[in-house]
Amino acid sequence: MANIQKRCLAEFIGTFFLVFMGAGAAAITLMISKGAAPPNAFNIGIGALGGLGDWLAIGLAFGIAISTSIYALGNVSGCHINPAVTIALWTVKKFPGRDVVPYIISQLAGASVASLLFALIVGMGAVTVGGLGATAPFPGIGYLQAILAEVVGTFLLMMAIMGVAVDRRAPSGFAGLIIGLTVAGVIITVGNISGASLNPARTFGPYLGNMLLSGTNLWIYYPIYIIGPIVGAILAALAYNYMTSEEEASRG
């Protein structure tokens, strides 16, 4: 592995990719659909393509961003690009404790710069209409419901990470594709519930950008996107370790 400075730079760039492309796609979707009448009662907050079409586009944007980051930067830093992933890997002793804080700072910084640069490129409509792609529970969704959606979604993501990226027995070359598709699938499924952040940094960047650029203050919801992803990721890492521990021990 590269030294810590190079690895932190890779985490910064990878998280920048994630937020600029993924959250940016969410903001653009809202801007394109401004003023459009929702086609049904459940389409309560995003897009004009009937809900699922919008979330498909947003999910694919995130999936492509993650795949790109993993294939480009995975050999440098492991491409966590997610504080929940970093913390979960540390929990199961797959990542050194001394590097946890530098990784998380780099991830938060990359997400923040991505949101601010997106606003600079697109204009204030990205803030006032698109909200910089910030996540929040949708109308009718309670705080605990949103946390549970984030727990389950991140559990699925982390299980994929453990199986295709962390486990040494996994076939090589597929991690970026499978992890990206997993994120896309989760976003398509629970995006209209909690926003499907799965990542404290992905939510932090747009929240900070909105705050600095006088957008909507959503910080009251931030605990959802800390608790849900971290709990979900840790549970998945522990579960995967439990399921594979005897086999690993027998292999020496």
Side-chain angles (χ1 to χ4, degrees), residues 220-235:
I220 190 174
Y221 298 119
Y222 194 52
I224 293 170
Y225 305 107
I226 297 175
I227 297 168
I230 291 175
V231 170
I234 289 174
L235 288 175

Side-chain angles (χ1 to χ4, degrees), residues 6 25 28 30 32 42 51 53 72 84 128 130 138 145 148 153 211 251:
K6 292 178 181 178
I28 291 293
L30 288 168
I32 290 172
F42 191 66
T128 58
F138 278 69
Q145 282 178 282
L148 184 58
M211 183 181 75
R251 294 171 69 243

Side-chain angles (χ1 to χ4, degrees), residues 16-33:
F16 179 96
F17 279 7
L18 173 70
V19 173
F20 189 88
M21 294 173 66
I28 291 293
T29 299
L30 288 168
M31 294 173 72
I32 290 172
S33 62

Side-chain angles (χ1 to χ4, degrees), residues 62-72 74 78-79 81 157 160-161 164-165 171-184:
F62 273 104
I64 291 167
I66 288 170
S67 293
T68 301
S69 298
I70 290 172
Y71 287 124
C79 198
I81 59 175
L157 167 61
I161 291 171
V164 302
S172 62
F174 289 96
L177 176 63
I178 299 304
I179 294 169
L181 288 175
T182 302
V183 170

Side-chain angles (χ1 to χ4, degrees), residues 49-113:
L49 299 178
L52 186 60
D54 296 306
W55 286 113
L56 175 62
I58 294 167
L60 288 176
F62 273 104
I64 291 167
I66 288 170
S67 293
T68 301
S69 298
I70 290 172
Y71 287 124
L73 303 167
N75 288 333
V76 180
S77 69
C79 198
H80 300 184
I81 59 175
N82 184 339
V85 172
T86 299
I87 291 169
L89 290 175
W90 167 73
T91 300
V92 295
K93 300 180 180 180
K94 299 291 186 181
F95 189 71
R98 66 181 181 275
D99 293 343
V100 169
V101 172
Y103 262 50
I104 292 175
I105 291 173
S106 301
Q107 292 155 2
L108 296 176
S112 300
V113 172

